[in-house]
Amino acid sequence: MDEIADNTFTEIHTAELPNDDPSLLTLILELSPGGWFNIKDETTILDVVKSLLVFLNGHLSLNNANQVAFIISSPTGAKFLYPNPQKEMDELRRPEEYEDSNEMGIPSLVSKGMYRQFRIVDEGVLEEFNKSINELVDADNTNITSKLAGAVSLALTYTNRMLNLDQSISTTTASAISSATKESTGVNTNTSSSSYQGLTRIKSRVLIVTPNDNEDIKYISLMNGIFAAQKMKVPIDVAKLGKKDSSYLQQAADATNGIYLHIEKPVGFIQFLSTAYFIEPSIRSLIILPTNSNVNYRASCFITGKSVEIGYVCSVCLCIISEIPESMKCPTCNSQFDDKIIAKLKRKPVVKKRKLENGGAEVSSDNGTLAPATPEPTPVPE
Amino acid sequence: MDTSDEEYVEPSSVPKEHKAKKRTNQENTGYSWEDEYQRTWDIVKDDDSRSLEAIIQGMIEGRKKKIMKLSTSPYQRGIIRTMVVIIDGSSIMSEKDLRPTRFSLMLQYLQEFIVEFFDQNPISQLGVVLMRNGISHVVSEVNGSPQYHIDKIRGLRSRQHNRFEPKGDPSLQNSLELARSLLKYNFGNNINDSKNSKEILIIFGALFTSDPGDIHETINSLVKDKIRVKVIGLSAQVAICQELVTKTNHTKNSNYGVIMNETHFKELLMDCVIPLAITKDSAPKVNEEKVPLMKMGFPTKIQPVTTSNLEPLHFCACHPTRGSDDTKNVVEIQSNVSNIGYKCPQCFSRVCSLPTVCPVCGLMLILSTHLARSYHHLVPLSEYKEVPKNDEGVYDSQWCFGCLLKFEDGLGSSRYKCGECKNDFCIDCDVFVHEILHNCPGCQ
């Protein structure tokens, strides 16, 4: 009887207040040594982490059932800092252990009297964060490419679990809700068999914080991640620190209806976080957001690396090239291009000249043909 | 006395015979209505050794793994596809074995198919042909815009004009010839040259076809034009369809499916979204014949200024006539929702949705993201393997790498390992990674 009563109560509750659904916030912090070095005059990684923790705590305090996850994308690989399955979430330090932690180099950001939820998250993140910094120092720095695509994938697999499967996970902070459901529905709630007992629909978003100026993200993997996020309706917010814009991350934010902000001077980072990124996706349509309007979706040429306005696409491997190579071969898949079609492509300007003589639509066709097309360097065997 | 005795005996002996028949029927799995009602939950018995829940868990996992269709070996696929969907509009389609009718369910699924098709194959084209009353109609021309097709299908579905309600006999030959001509002589832009993958998908409800000529000749010409045909049958297999499919695909493998129920129908239809692998027969020829190169424009986005309350008027080149019947405006004024536009880099005309062909200069306009959507077909993710116990009889990992789910000690191992990064994943992450993400979180 209790079960029935509980269920009906919560169902009515969610139906009446659809905007009060809990939400999951997944933070991805990129730990690229070069990037952080470049902005060392503006801020330190510690300051940013401090602000992020305040941000996470703020998110937790908005709704009792809100959840957070913290993923770090270090050159050694992407991994979860929080939730951490190796640590029981109820495991709290005793006061005497704090001295040890200070010796380990954890800054005393976490006070003893802090609200329990905050303390669990903050301690977990800081401890693991220090570990991964140390790992990074020990690791050989030969391979320092960005692992951001992996971090996004991790965030999405975790989100997928939270959205579709059980939300009553022992590693998350929603202890209030999950413990309540555990009591009411029995012991076995932590298996995926409870997938349809999820009482509330959780919303989700991802925030990427990165100072990385090198565009060394694996493009295809990141794009796959973006499309998955699009399908799951998970917005990806991006806070790009440092001097340069990141066009890939701009695309990520734009395609998923997220917010992209390029923060050159991240002094008082918490201000940015709390104004721009605090807004739940459900109310974003009501608020004018500080996002940039000009997303550069232009493709870049696979040979020259420059952005292309009118280019050619290989029909086998879909690589984009700005001019037809002299070898008439695709630079990536090495398949021979069809001469007839290339000849046809090159014939175009001739056709349009006639139009010019006739005097129709001079300006537009003129601009159109002369500016981008005409790959002159390659000779045409006609 | 004698007669009366006989009369008396007879009625009692007849039921005996009936009873005997009934028994034999039961033994040879007789009529189900004569059977005792069986409750399926009585069959299931709890095994003392393992909990029922674990068994069910294992069954669910096995099913998920089975449903997940993996194609891990990187085939060369015909990424640029031109497909003509032939739908059956003969009188048999008003049959109500699919709810509400075969015809309307087909159209409903077709809409979903179109959306999915263009989502996965952004640089492909599609056309729809309806066979009805012995002849075939073009429902929508071969075109690359999903919205155009959906509008046309909606037109078919709408009840107001019943001009297209199912009627008459289907003619496979007529519609195949029409589709062939659409595929063959489809001019316009350069992406539609001869060497893309040409496909016909037939959704066939009837069990016969009434043709004006010899359909075998049509099949032969389809083979000659390298058009590949897939058939989804709504009732039963038809010999001519089987022949059509086998001949045009050069393989025995079944591109001919007959639906079992609504979900199966959808599954079969959605299977057609994945680009076909280039078969052995055609692959060497393609390589010899050289690959086409396509000219494409990557337009810039024009976003409205949101700071002022006054919305400037936006005109686009792709809908010059929409709404003209009502308002007599020649150029449509864009609604607030879609006042994002893209500028063609060649002629600077404005279009309101991508991918499309520029209505002014005929350049294929696309975003690099659209191209990126097709990449996972070319480079599929390798399959995860189920993890065996290690030497000590236990598993190495305790948590799923992707979602941190704690592995339960169920029936099977329920851990699936990526061959590249040696991380273990749970079944749900396995499905998600392979079906939606196309990206192994550990390998990146």
Side-chain angles (χ1 to χ4, degrees), chain A residues 191-196, chain B residues 41 44-47 50-65 408-412 414 427:
Chain A
T191 66
S192 55
S193 62
S194 65
S195 49
Y196 298 107
Chain B
W41 53 89
V44 181
K45 290 209 174 77
D46 204 348
D47 189 349
R50 326 159 180 128
S51 76
L52 189 62
E53 198 177 346
I55 295 172
I56 290 170
Q57 203 64 35
M59 282 158 75
I60 291 171
E61 260 180 39
R63 185 164 159 67
K64 276 183 183 167
K65 192 77 186 166
E408 292 291 315
D409 292 326
L411 257 190
S414 64
I427 182 71

Side-chain angles (χ1 to χ4, degrees), chain A residues 48 52 99 123-124 145 289 317 324 351 353:
Chain A
V48 171
L52 288 177
E99 288 164 21
E123 273 175 10
T145 51
L289 291 162
C317 64
I324 302 164
V351 179
K353 263 182 192 165

Side-chain angles (χ1 to χ4, degrees), chain A residues 161 221 293 309 313 336 368, chain B residues 291 294 298 303 346 403 439:
Chain A
R161 172 192 175 194
S221 341
S293 56
E309 272 206 320
V313 176
Q336 187 79 32
Chain B
V291 227
M294 293 162 298
F298 300 93
Q303 216 162 25
Q346 187 161 270
C403 67
N439 231 5

Side-chain angles (χ1 to χ4, degrees), chain A residues 82-142:
Chain A
Y82 183 89
N84 185 353
Q86 278 160 342
K87 246 173 59 174
E88 284 289 307
M89 80 159 220
D90 290 329
E91 184 187 307
L92 270 181
R93 261 169 229 274
R94 291 172 196 289
E96 55 263 32
E97 285 177 47
Y98 278 96
E99 288 164 21
D100 298 346
S101 66
N102 280 337
E103 278 167 24
M104 279 167 63
I106 296 175
S108 52
L109 294 174
V110 186
S111 75
K112 284 174 239 171
M114 204 182 228
Y115 176 51
R116 186 165 155 277
Q117 294 289 344
F118 296 172
R119 199 142 57 105
I120 295 168
V121 175
D122 295 5
E123 273 175 10
V125 169
L126 281 174
E127 207 170 288
E128 290 296 311
F129 182 70
N130 274 7
K131 270 188 207 162
S132 40
I133 291 258
N134 288 335
E135 268 173 33
L136 186 60
V137 171
D138 297 337
D140 59 330
N141 289 339
T142 47

Side-chain angles (χ1 to χ4, degrees), chain B residues 213-231:
Chain B
D214 184 4
I215 193 167
H216 296 278
E217 277 174 27
T218 307
I219 295 177
N220 287 337
S221 50
L222 287 174
V223 175
K224 215 166 64 191
D225 290 337
K226 289 182 196 138
I227 295 169
R228 302 168 75 179
V229 185
K230 271 191 155 189
V231 181

Side-chain angles (χ1 to χ4, degrees), chain A residues 111-240:
Chain A
S111 75
K112 284 174 239 171
M114 204 182 228
Y115 176 51
R116 186 165 155 277
Q117 294 289 344
F118 296 172
R119 199 142 57 105
I120 295 168
V121 175
D122 295 5
E123 273 175 10
V125 169
L126 281 174
E127 207 170 288
E128 290 296 311
F129 182 70
N130 274 7
K131 270 188 207 162
S132 40
I133 291 258
N134 288 335
E135 268 173 33
L136 186 60
V137 171
D138 297 337
D140 59 330
N141 289 339
T142 47
N143 178 27
I144 47 164
T145 51
S146 170
K147 298 286 192 294
L148 194 61
V152 172
S153 311
L154 269 188
L156 289 175
T157 46
Y158 186 70
T159 307
N160 177 50
R161 172 192 175 194
M162 301 305 264
L163 288 179
N164 300 327
L165 311 168
D166 58 321
Q167 296 156 19
S168 56
I169 301 156
S170 56
T171 54
T172 46
T173 46
S175 60
I177 282 271
S178 65
S179 60
T181 51
K182 259 181 207 164
E183 280 163 20
S184 63
T185 52
V187 200
N188 288 319
T189 37
N190 55 350
T191 66
S192 55
S193 62
S194 65
S195 49
Y196 298 107
Q197 292 171 350
L199 299 171
T200 42
R201 279 179 50 81
I202 198 162
K203 289 172 298 186
S204 175
R205 67 185 198 269
V206 177
L207 169 62
I208 301 174
V209 180
T210 174
N212 191 4
D213 285 339
N214 304 336
E215 299 247 311
D216 56 354
I217 303 167
K218 286 183 185 164
Y219 175 69
I220 293 175
S221 341
L222 182 70
M223 277 334 241
N224 284 338
I226 292 172
F227 297 136
Q230 233 173 4
K231 272 192 190 153
M232 295 159 74
K233 298 201 168 65
V234 174
I236 298 179
D237 300 336
V238 178
K240 174 73 184 67

Side-chain angles (χ1 to χ4, degrees), chain A residues 290-365:
Chain A
T291 188
N292 73 327
S293 56
N294 254 326
V295 180
N296 185 3
Y297 262 114
R298 229 171 286 167
S300 54
C301 171
F302 278 41
I303 310 171
T304 59
K306 286 176 194 162
S307 70
V308 194
E309 272 206 320
I310 296 185
Y312 301 92
V313 176
C314 168
S315 65
V316 173
C317 64
L318 298 181
C319 77
I320 304 160
I321 46 180
S322 56
E323 52 191 44
I324 302 164
E326 281 184 44
S327 60
M328 308 271 275
K329 273 186 182 172
C330 171
T332 40
C333 68
N334 214 17
S335 41
Q336 187 79 32
F337 292 135
D338 196 320
D339 347 322
K340 280 183 201 164
I341 289 171
I342 289 179
K344 212 191 259 176
L345 287 176
K346 291 184 176 174
R347 212 175 54 227
K348 271 197 171 172
V350 186
V351 179
K352 294 206 169 165
K353 263 182 192 165
R354 264 184 231 144
K355 270 186 195 166
L356 271 182
E357 282 161 18
N358 293 341
E362 285 178 15
V363 182
S364 65
S365 66

